[in-house]
Amino acid sequence: MNLKERAKKLKTDIPAVFIAMKKKETPIGAKIIAGLTVTYALSPIDLIPDFIPVLGYIDDIILLPALVALTIRMIPSDVFDACREEAEGIWSAGKPKRWYYALPILVVWLLIVFLVVKAIWF
């Protein structure tokens, strides 16, 4: 599978993970990881900003696909297959843009800034 095919598969797997997160058959651990994955995927703010050379794209190339793969492994295959079928074409109009998906990433950045300022001044 080449990079283009993987990117296309990722576009359908993220909504499928979101749908699986809402299913009763999905284990609690998988729901937690799925919540983190979907929040990070839909967040307009990256953990590592894209303007940082090389490191900025690590989250897009490695972190997000790794989170999706981990989540898929934790969800029973029959449940995820049904979710994947349900998710086909769900983002045909584009990815949803909601500001509250950025809150967890924003909290992490604020915590980092706080710790750096505290280390410098105290």
Side-chain angles (χ1 to χ4, degrees):
M1 185 179 291
N2 66 22
L3 190 60
K4 196 173 193 177
E5 291 171 351
R6 285 186 182 188
K8 187 174 181 178
K9 187 176 179 194
L10 195 61
K11 272 190 157 185
T12 58
D13 283 350
I14 292 172
V17 165
F18 179 73
I19 293 168
M21 184 175 61
K22 297 179 178 183
K23 301 264 184 188
K24 291 181 199 176
E25 299 87 10
T26 305
I28 288 288
K31 287 183 179 189
I32 292 169
I33 300 297
L36 291 171
T37 302
V38 170
T39 300
Y40 190 73
L42 297 179
S43 174
I45 301 172
D46 288 340
L47 191 58
I48 304 169
D50 289 341
F51 64 83
I52 297 174
V54 181
L55 292 177
Y57 291 103
I58 286 179
D59 61 341
D60 298 331
I61 295 171
I62 296 172
L63 185 61
L64 189 57
L67 282 171
V68 171
L70 175 65
T71 306
I72 291 171
R73 285 185 183 207
M74 296 177 75
I75 299 171
S77 61
D78 57 330
V79 173
F80 192 72
D81 290 340
C83 294
R84 192 177 269 159
E85 287 177 19
E86 191 176 332
E88 287 291 323
I90 201 168
W91 281 359
S92 59
K95 181 167 88 166
K97 293 176 175 65
R98 303 237 166 48
W99 64 270
Y100 51 82
Y101 289 118
L103 288 178
I105 306 301
L106 189 61
V107 168
V108 169
W109 272 109
L110 289 174
L111 179 64
I112 290 170
V113 168
F114 171 75
L115 292 174
V116 167
V117 168
K118 184 178 175 184
I120 291 173
W121 282 346
F122 299 109

